[in-house]
Amino acid sequence: MQPARRLYRRESEENRRSALIAATQELVAEGGPEAATVRAIAERAGVTPGLIRHYFQSKDELNRAAYRTLMDGMTAKGSDAIEGVGAQPAERLAAFIAASLRPPVLDAGAVVLWAGYMHKVRSDPDLLAVHEAGYLAYRDTLQKLIEALPRDTEPGQTRREAIACNALIDGLWVEGSLLSASFAPGEIVSIGLGSAGAILGIDLLAHTALLPDFGRKTA
């Protein structure tokens, strides 16, 4: 019985921590970091302000956790997509890029939340470190997928290609999320795969038939 009680307590604490992070994200998305006061976070999460101190040493630490959760979640969704396809390197790369350019990653709320933290990155070294770690985690995953492609490359080439593809994906993610009605179904994914393929010299669009809920032709 004792192990079961410990497991229940652990799950409860994890749920409360997640609730505080979610409440912080909602408030930042609605009104920027300034809106995420301790009192507002506690009210949104349905807890007392004092309980926040039990999970986070400061509001800044909670804000960093909220931003880290956003960044890590986008990389994780791309990595999850890889597990659903075969072993062919180009197919795996296509799945990763496509997952980054469709819901739930393609989401106006996520972009607004990301933008809410951007002006604090330059003035908060710890938040900048979270941003850098999230960026590198995504870019390194992308680079490893690029390195697996059966091509001849020069030293440093795959790193430069990963940087370029990452920048391409970032831009499409922002515009595709905020202006979703301006694009036909599947168009953002199609543009992303076609453009990344042009950078790498491969046809990533050849693998769209293997990706779920994707129509190669756009309206």
Side-chain angles (χ1 to χ4, degrees):
M1 295 300 295
Q2 190 69 16
R5 285 197 294 270
R6 285 199 298 268
L7 177 60
Y8 175 80
R9 181 173 182 271
R10 185 185 309 119
E11 290 177 342
S12 177
E13 289 189 349
E14 288 174 355
N15 289 340
R16 288 177 178 174
R17 181 182 174 89
S18 296
L20 291 171
I21 289 174
T24 303
Q25 290 180 330
E26 291 173 6
L27 289 165
V28 172
E30 292 169 7
E34 295 77 13
T37 64
V38 170
R39 183 176 297 276
I41 293 169
E43 183 177 350
R44 182 66 61 94
V47 301
T48 62
L51 188 63
I52 295 177
R53 298 286 184 181
H54 177 72
Y55 298 98
F56 301 95
Q57 294 182 356
S58 66
K59 189 184 77 169
D60 287 340
E61 182 183 341
L62 175 51
N63 264 310
R64 290 192 291 272
Y67 188 50
R68 184 182 300 110
T69 299
L70 170 68
M71 299 287 283
D72 290 351
M74 290 189 285
T75 301
K77 288 179 176 65
S79 298
D80 289 344
I82 298 174
E83 302 303 318
V85 298
Q88 188 175 348
E91 181 185 341
R92 292 167 62 81
L93 176 59
F96 182 80
I97 293 174
S100 301
L101 296 174
R102 65 153 64 97
V105 177
L106 203 71
D107 175 68
V111 172
V112 172
L113 175 59
W114 170 79
Y117 281 113
M118 282 301 94
H119 78 282
K120 290 199 67 175
V121 165
R122 294 182 61 185
S123 61
D124 185 339
D126 291 328
L127 192 62
L128 176 61
V130 172
H131 177 77
E132 182 180 28
Y135 166 76
L136 291 177
Y138 185 91
R139 199 190 77 191
D140 288 350
T141 301
L142 190 59
Q143 183 174 343
K144 289 177 182 177
L145 291 168
I146 292 172
E147 288 173 346
L149 296 172
R151 306 176 302 153
D152 293 327
T153 58
E154 300 175 352
Q157 178 179 335
T158 58
R159 177 181 177 274
R160 294 191 298 270
E161 290 172 335
I163 292 171
C165 288
N166 184 81
L168 165 71
I169 293 166
D170 277 353
L172 290 173
W173 173 67
V174 171
E175 300 303 338
S177 295
L178 296 178
L179 302 173
S180 58
S182 299
F183 302 96
E187 187 175 10
I188 288 292
V189 175
S190 179
I191 293 172
L193 292 176
S195 300
I199 291 172
L200 302 171
I202 60 174
D203 183 12
L204 291 177
L205 284 169
H207 302 281
T208 55
L210 302 174
L211 304 179
D213 304 322
F214 180 82
R216 179 166 181 172
K217 295 182 180 180
T218 58

